[in-house]
Amino acid sequence: MARQLDYHAIHEIFSRFRASDPEPKGELEHVNAYTLLVAVALSAQATDAGVNKATRGLFPVADTPQKMLDLGEAGLTDHIKTIGLFRQKAKNVIRLSRILVEDHGGEVPSSRAALQALPGVGRKTANVVLNMWWRFPAQAVDTHIFRLGNRSGIAPGKDVVAVERAIEDNVPAEFQLHAHHWMILHGRYTCKARKPQCGACLIRDICQYEEKSL
């Protein structure tokens, strides 16, 4: 675990991220808050590309909780069977859709507690929805962000909650809204797990990672 970088170093890192990509976007395809919620729930232990491939046929026929219930678990399963853990995910999506219809008027709530009360929705999923749809400065820490936070010194922590807190505490407010997108994209495409592309890294001179590659 790298040492925590100071304010000036972190400000410089995110200034570079912003200059390179002023409006970073999540890669999960969606058309509304509900389809975003479903896409993120389906993405656990699966790639965004794999989820997008499945939902391109699903969302045109089930883009609301009621339409998903009308499709049914068997119909949903048929659409997402290429995704890992698809049977359990299908059960969760049907259950959460029923709760949204019965308890939330068919709308996706903007409360972390209400989101996390839904089947198959953990803190990370809730934070993605809060950030991407409701534009709250919520930090959804996945494996890419956890790795980058610890390698670089941006947000070191022993677990995802500690890294989330470190981002909230140490990243300047002006960067909070897009922080998790910049970090996930950098972790996914540059600061890779096995072969980090340090030679092409725009924060190489600031990063605390001791095993930098050429």
Side-chain angles (χ1 to χ4, degrees), residues 15-25 178 181-182 185 202:
S15 293
R16 294 181 190 182
F17 284 158
R18 181 170 62 187
S20 176
D21 187 3
E23 287 287 330
K25 305 294 182 185
H178 294 314
H181 276 130
W182 281 316
L185 293 170
L202 54 79

Side-chain angles (χ1 to χ4, degrees), residues 72-82 86-87 90-91:
E73 186 176 325
L76 171 57
T77 299
D78 191 54
H79 279 281
I80 67 170
K81 59 189 177 184
T82 56
F86 68 93
R87 295 188 191 281
K91 293 180 185 297

Side-chain angles (χ1 to χ4, degrees), residues 57-118:
L58 172 63
F59 291 157
V61 296
D63 61 355
T64 69
Q66 186 59 57
K67 288 179 182 178
M68 190 68 75
L69 292 176
D70 294 342
L71 179 63
E73 186 176 325
L76 171 57
T77 299
D78 191 54
H79 279 281
I80 67 170
K81 59 189 177 184
T82 56
I83 300 175
L85 308 175
F86 68 93
R87 295 188 191 281
Q88 184 58 50
K89 290 176 180 178
K91 293 180 185 297
N92 286 339
V93 169
I94 292 298
R95 289 169 60 207
L96 74 82
S97 298
R98 184 168 291 111
I99 292 171
L100 291 177
V101 169
E102 295 178 352
D103 298 345
H104 298 282
E107 300 295 327
V108 174
S110 59
S111 152
R112 180 184 284 115
L115 286 167
Q116 286 190 246
L118 298 171

Side-chain angles (χ1 to χ4, degrees), residues 155-175:
K158 293 183 178 180
D159 55 46
V160 294
V161 174
V163 171
E164 179 183 331
R165 293 283 183 261
I167 295 171
E168 292 174 344
D169 290 345
N170 296 293
V171 175
E174 66 185 288
F175 304 117

Side-chain angles (χ1 to χ4, degrees), residues 5-19:
L5 290 170
D6 64 24
Y7 172 87
H8 297 291
I10 293 177
H11 192 281
E12 177 61 23
I13 284 173
F14 283 93
S15 293
R16 294 181 190 182
F17 284 158
R18 181 170 62 187

